[in-house]
Amino acid sequence: MAVVTRDGDSGAAAGSSRPAAATRMVASMVRLDWLTKVWWTCLSIGLFAGIWELCWALGWADPKLLPPPHIFLGNIAEQGKFFNTATRWQVGQAMNEGPTAFESVMITVGATTARVFVGLVIASLLAIGIGVMIRYWSFFDKLVLPTVTLLSPVSPIAWLPVAIFLFGIGNAPAIFMVVVALFFHMVLATINQIDGVSPNLINVARTMGASKAQIYGRVIVPAILPGMLAVLRLNLFGAWMVVLVAESTGVGYGMGQVIMLARNTFNPSLVFFTIAVIGILGFAFDWLLRLAQRRILYWLPDTQEKLRGL
């Protein structure tokens, strides 16, 4: 009896240890997968930079026009002082006064990032809300959709004078430009996502006695969420493009102002240094958005791995 009990205890312990071992194995695989992605990311960027350096070493790229990465990234302090664009907008202030080079870069990056984030949030909320209302009310559809379709092809640059006329200089015109650049396309994308919802889901909700408001709130909006997050991710890059154009016209300070300064002073190193900073910011934002997408849409299967297995 005692032997059987000990065997049973040992079997139970072995059974209970199997989930723990499986958990540890999965955790180790996740960590390995994360390291693999980091390695491939570094390899991709390193290969691009290496080809650029090779072209410079072979004399195919003029260092005065296309400086290699080791030149425009080698003297960060020298490049950082040009980010002190806020001081130049203050009368009687010299360029070498004010924050340090690192502080100037952080202030400029923070200002541009805040404009992108605020504009993206406003455009997303307005576009999704209006897109849902267009499909919810037929009258609203007939009244609003033609205007949205008419203004959607207009380039964001064409709205630049309007932004200056309405808001002057400052943060408002840059945020307005981001909102206008994303709003119309996101409204059409929302409508397209709603039209693509499976009729089976709607029919099941109707069979269970759901009202129109309940169908939209509990069926249609959750169904379009994966597609809208993908649209939001793509529009994130568009927001970065537009905000640089808006900042170049005069918002006080920002990455667009640095690009204009580099152009006016013919400073290619500053141009590529700013491009590198923008690229790092865009990459980080895209990674955070993809991470949030996986957390929010936890029920969706990983189709990427399935496609790779074909």
Side-chain angles (χ1 to χ4, degrees):
M1 180 68 66
V3 175
V4 174
T5 302
R6 284 194 297 268
D7 290 340
D9 292 341
S10 62
S16 62
S17 65
R18 291 193 188 99
T23 303
R24 289 193 298 269
M25 182 179 66
V26 171
S28 63
M29 291 175 63
V30 169
R31 288 193 296 267
L32 181 61
D33 182 66
W34 181 80
L35 292 175
T36 302
K37 290 181 180 180
V38 172
W39 185 86
W40 279 107
T41 300
C42 295
L43 179 62
S44 175
I45 299 175
L47 180 62
F48 175 76
I51 295 175
W52 195 343
E53 293 284 353
L54 180 62
C55 293
W56 168 79
L58 296 176
W60 295 348
D62 189 350
K64 295 181 180 180
L65 300 177
L66 295 174
H70 80 272
I71 292 180
F72 64 80
L73 294 178
N75 193 357
I76 298 179
E78 182 67 20
Q79 304 296 343
K81 70 178 184 180
F82 292 102
F83 281 72
N84 191 13
T85 55
T87 301
R88 292 198 299 276
W89 282 78
Q90 302 175 12
V91 179
Q93 294 289 332
M95 185 176 175
N96 56 358
E97 298 180 359
T100 62
F102 178 77
E103 292 173 346
S104 299
V105 173
M106 292 296 101
I107 292 173
T108 305
V109 167
T112 302
T113 302
R115 293 168 189 139
V116 170
F117 179 76
V118 173
L120 189 64
V121 170
I122 295 175
S124 302
L125 295 177
L126 290 177
I128 295 175
I130 292 179
V132 171
M133 287 190 292
I134 286 175
R135 279 297 177 257
Y136 191 89
W137 289 296
S138 176
F139 175 77
F140 198 80
D141 184 350
K142 298 175 182 178
L143 186 65
V144 176
L145 185 57
T147 303
V148 172
T149 307
L150 176 68
L151 297 177
S152 181
V154 179
S155 172
I157 300 178
W159 291 96
L160 186 56
V162 179
I164 297 176
F165 295 156
L166 293 176
F167 302 103
I169 62 174
N171 292 320
I175 296 175
F176 174 80
M177 286 284 293
V178 174
V179 172
V180 169
L182 304 182
F183 170 74
F184 300 106
H185 298 285
M186 292 192 70
V187 170
L188 298 178
T190 303
I191 296 173
N192 183 62
Q193 292 291 328
I194 294 175
D195 294 340
V197 175
S198 175
N200 296 331
L201 300 176
I202 300 176
N203 293 334
V204 170
R206 284 176 176 174
T207 303
M208 299 179 66
S211 63
K212 185 176 181 180
Q214 290 174 333
I215 291 175
Y216 269 84
R218 300 184 180 182
V219 177
I220 294 179
V221 172
I224 69 173
L225 187 58
M228 291 311 301
L229 286 176
V231 172
L232 183 64
R233 178 187 172 192
L234 295 177
N235 282 322
L236 173 64
F237 301 112
W240 275 102
M241 298 176 188
V242 173
V243 76
L244 295 178
V245 177
E247 288 180 343
S248 64
T249 61
V251 296
Y253 52 93
M255 305 288 285
Q257 280 289 312
V258 179
I259 291 289
M260 290 300 296
L261 174 64
R263 188 202 68 172
N264 295 335
T265 58
F266 196 73
N267 190 344
S269 295
L270 181 59
V271 171
F272 288 108
F273 178 79
T274 309
I275 290 175
V277 174
I278 296 172
I280 293 173
L281 291 174
F283 184 89
F285 267 81
D286 180 66
W287 177 78
L288 292 175
L289 193 57
R290 285 188 284 114
L291 183 62
Q293 184 177 1
R294 286 196 297 267
R295 299 293 184 184
I296 296 173
L297 308 176
Y298 60 89
W299 66 87
L300 293 181
D302 189 359
T303 55
Q304 182 179 4
E305 295 299 330
K306 291 183 179 179
L307 293 175
R308 287 174 178 172
L310 295 178

